[in-house]
Amino acid sequence: MVESNIQLSDLVQVFVYGTLKPGEANYKKYCTDKIIDVKRAFVQGKLFALPMGYPAMTLGNTQVYGYLLSCSNLRILNELNLLENYQSTRQSSENLYNRQIIEIYQPQSLSLGWAWVYLMTLDQVNQLGGLLQPDGWWTGCDLTAKYSYDL
Protein backbone atom coordinates (compact mmCIF):
# COMPACT_ATOMS: atom_id res chain seq x y z
CA MET A 1 0.00 0.00 0.00
CA VAL A 2 1.29 3.47 -0.93
CA GLU A 3 0.83 6.25 1.60
CA SER A 4 -0.17 9.73 0.54
CA ASN A 5 2.22 12.59 1.27
CA ILE A 6 -0.64 15.07 1.46
CA GLN A 7 -0.99 16.54 4.92
CA LEU A 8 -3.38 19.05 6.41
CA SER A 9 -0.55 21.58 6.35
CA ASP A 10 -0.72 21.47 2.54
CA LEU A 11 -3.96 23.43 2.74
CA VAL A 12 -3.56 26.99 1.45
CA GLN A 13 -5.78 29.63 3.04
CA VAL A 14 -6.19 33.13 1.64
CA PHE A 15 -8.34 35.95 2.99
CA VAL A 16 -9.94 37.90 0.13
CA TYR A 17 -11.71 41.26 0.42
CA GLY A 18 -12.01 42.47 -3.17
CA THR A 19 -12.25 41.10 -6.70
CA LEU A 20 -11.48 37.54 -5.56
CA LYS A 21 -14.58 37.29 -3.35
CA PRO A 22 -17.37 34.99 -4.57
CA GLY A 23 -19.47 36.92 -7.09
CA GLU A 24 -16.77 39.48 -7.88
CA ALA A 25 -14.86 39.96 -11.14
CA ASN A 26 -11.87 37.65 -10.55
CA TYR A 27 -13.44 34.84 -8.52
CA LYS A 28 -14.50 32.73 -11.50
CA LYS A 29 -11.13 32.94 -13.29
CA TYR A 30 -8.84 32.42 -10.29
CA CYS A 31 -10.90 30.50 -7.74
CA THR A 32 -13.72 28.43 -9.23
CA ASP A 33 -12.76 24.74 -9.40
CA LYS A 34 -9.75 25.38 -7.11
CA ILE A 35 -11.40 26.32 -3.83
CA ILE A 36 -12.52 23.53 -1.50
CA ASP A 37 -14.04 25.75 1.21
CA VAL A 38 -15.33 29.32 1.55
CA LYS A 39 -16.10 30.97 4.89
CA ARG A 40 -17.27 34.46 5.71
CA ALA A 41 -14.60 36.15 7.79
CA PHE A 42 -13.01 39.39 8.87
CA VAL A 43 -9.56 40.68 9.75
CA GLN A 44 -8.15 43.73 11.48
CA GLY A 45 -7.05 46.37 8.99
CA LYS A 46 -8.20 49.35 6.95
CA LEU A 47 -9.97 49.03 3.62
CA PHE A 48 -9.74 51.49 0.73
CA ALA A 49 -11.50 51.73 -2.64
CA LEU A 50 -9.07 52.63 -5.41
CA PRO A 51 -10.10 54.67 -8.49
CA MET A 52 -8.99 51.79 -10.74
CA GLY A 53 -11.99 49.74 -9.59
CA TYR A 54 -10.48 47.44 -6.99
CA PRO A 55 -9.69 47.75 -3.27
CA ALA A 56 -6.57 47.82 -1.13
CA MET A 57 -6.14 46.86 2.48
CA THR A 58 -3.53 48.08 4.93
CA LEU A 59 -2.77 46.99 8.45
CA GLY A 60 -5.02 48.73 10.95
CA ASN A 61 -7.43 48.30 13.82
CA THR A 62 -10.87 48.25 12.16
CA GLN A 63 -12.71 45.26 10.77
CA VAL A 64 -12.34 44.40 7.08
CA TYR A 65 -14.91 41.89 5.83
CA GLY A 66 -14.41 39.24 3.20
CA TYR A 67 -13.97 35.51 2.80
CA LEU A 68 -11.48 32.87 3.83
CA LEU A 69 -10.77 30.67 0.82
CA SER A 70 -9.20 27.24 1.30
CA CYS A 71 -7.43 25.38 -1.48
CA SER A 72 -5.47 22.11 -1.52
CA ASN A 73 -3.10 23.21 -4.29
CA LEU A 74 -0.17 25.51 -3.47
CA ARG A 75 -0.03 26.65 -7.12
CA ILE A 76 -2.96 28.97 -6.51
CA LEU A 77 -0.54 31.32 -4.74
CA ASN A 78 1.52 31.64 -7.94
CA GLU A 79 -1.59 32.70 -9.87
CA LEU A 80 -2.68 35.14 -7.16
CA ASN A 81 0.84 36.57 -6.96
CA LEU A 82 0.65 37.43 -10.67
CA LEU A 83 -2.78 39.02 -10.28
CA GLU A 84 -1.66 41.07 -7.28
CA ASN A 85 1.70 42.03 -8.86
CA TYR A 86 3.64 40.45 -5.99
CA GLN A 87 7.06 38.82 -6.20
CA SER A 88 8.75 37.63 -3.04
CA THR A 89 12.20 38.31 -4.56
CA ARG A 90 11.51 42.03 -5.06
CA GLN A 91 11.78 44.77 -2.47
CA SER A 92 8.35 45.30 -0.88
CA SER A 93 8.25 48.86 -2.26
CA GLU A 94 8.45 47.44 -5.80
CA ASN A 95 5.34 45.26 -5.37
CA LEU A 96 1.83 46.56 -5.83
CA TYR A 97 0.66 44.30 -3.01
CA ASN A 98 2.69 42.34 -0.49
CA ARG A 99 1.60 38.94 0.78
CA GLN A 100 1.53 38.48 4.53
CA ILE A 101 0.04 36.05 7.05
CA ILE A 102 -2.52 37.52 9.46
CA GLU A 103 -5.10 36.18 11.89
CA ILE A 104 -8.58 35.60 10.48
CA TYR A 105 -11.84 35.68 12.48
CA GLN A 106 -15.26 34.21 11.88
CA PRO A 107 -18.33 36.46 12.26
CA GLN A 108 -18.70 35.53 15.97
CA SER A 109 -15.16 36.93 16.56
CA LEU A 110 -13.63 33.49 17.12
CA SER A 111 -10.27 32.91 15.47
CA LEU A 112 -10.16 30.82 12.31
CA GLY A 113 -6.37 30.71 12.48
CA TRP A 114 -3.92 32.36 10.13
CA ALA A 115 -4.06 32.94 6.37
CA TRP A 116 -2.38 34.79 3.55
CA VAL A 117 -3.64 38.25 2.62
CA TYR A 118 -2.45 40.78 0.06
CA LEU A 119 -1.77 44.20 1.59
CA MET A 120 -0.69 47.61 0.33
CA THR A 121 1.26 50.18 2.24
CA LEU A 122 -0.56 53.33 3.31
CA ASP A 123 1.87 55.35 1.15
CA GLN A 124 0.86 53.33 -1.92
CA VAL A 125 -2.83 53.72 -1.11
CA ASN A 126 -2.40 57.49 -0.78
CA GLN A 127 -0.42 57.73 -4.03
CA LEU A 128 -3.17 55.82 -5.84
CA GLY A 129 -5.95 58.00 -4.40
CA GLY A 130 -7.53 55.40 -2.14
CA LEU A 131 -10.81 56.27 -0.41
CA LEU A 132 -11.30 54.81 3.09
CA GLN A 133 -14.24 52.40 3.36
CA PRO A 134 -15.19 52.88 7.02
CA ASP A 135 -17.70 50.00 7.00
CA GLY A 136 -14.94 47.55 6.00
CA TRP A 137 -16.77 46.21 2.94
CA TRP A 138 -15.97 46.64 -0.78
CA THR A 139 -17.84 45.43 -3.81
CA GLY A 140 -17.39 46.08 -7.51
CA CYS A 141 -20.76 44.56 -8.33
CA ASP A 142 -23.05 46.92 -6.41
CA LEU A 143 -24.27 43.91 -4.48
CA THR A 144 -25.88 44.09 -1.09
CA ALA A 145 -23.81 41.16 0.20
CA LYS A 146 -22.63 43.24 3.14
CA TYR A 147 -26.18 43.48 4.41
CA SER A 148 -26.69 39.72 4.25
CA TYR A 149 -23.32 39.07 5.85
CA ASP A 150 -24.97 37.96 9.10
CA LEU A 151 -22.46 39.50 11.43
Side-chain angles (χ1 to χ4, degrees), residues 19-20 24-35 69 71 75-84:
T19 65
L20 291 166
E24 296 289 349
N26 285 319
Y27 183 82
K28 187 173 183 179
K29 179 178 180 181
Y30 291 92
C31 302
T32 299
D33 301 328
K34 297 173 188 158
I35 302 303
L69 306 181
C71 178
R75 286 179 290 197
I76 194 169
L77 287 178
N78 294 332
E79 295 175 27
L80 297 181
N81 289 345
L82 288 173
L83 174 66
E84 306 294 7

Side-chain angles (χ1 to χ4, degrees), residues 30-135:
Y30 291 92
C31 302
T32 299
D33 301 328
K34 297 173 188 158
I35 302 303
I36 58 174
D37 191 33
V38 176
K39 291 183 177 137
R40 292 180 178 146
F42 72 89
V43 297
Q44 295 298 312
K46 285 188 179 180
L47 187 65
F48 299 84
L50 300 175
M52 295 77 74
Y54 54 87
M57 187 182 124
T58 66
L59 294 175
N61 57 6
T62 59
Q63 292 181 351
V64 174
Y65 300 98
Y67 293 87
L68 179 62
L69 306 181
S70 298
C71 178
S72 61
N73 191 330
L74 291 171
R75 286 179 290 197
I76 194 169
L77 287 178
N78 294 332
E79 295 175 27
L80 297 181
N81 289 345
L82 288 173
L83 174 66
E84 306 294 7
N85 192 10
Y86 167 75
Q87 291 181 22
S88 62
T89 57
R90 289 193 297 215
Q91 294 289 329
S92 62
S93 60
E94 296 174 3
N95 289 319
L96 180 61
Y97 290 89
N98 287 288
R99 195 177 72 204
Q100 184 174 328
I101 292 181
I102 63 173
E103 192 167 12
I104 312 299
Y105 300 91
Q106 61 183 312
Q108 298 78 19
S109 297
L110 299 174
S111 178
L112 288 169
W114 298 78
W116 293 110
V117 67
Y118 289 87
L119 301 170
M120 261 190 201
T121 66
L122 190 53
D123 286 343
Q124 287 172 301
V125 168
N126 290 333
Q127 290 173 4
L128 294 172
L131 179 64
L132 181 65
Q133 304 295 284
D135 63 357

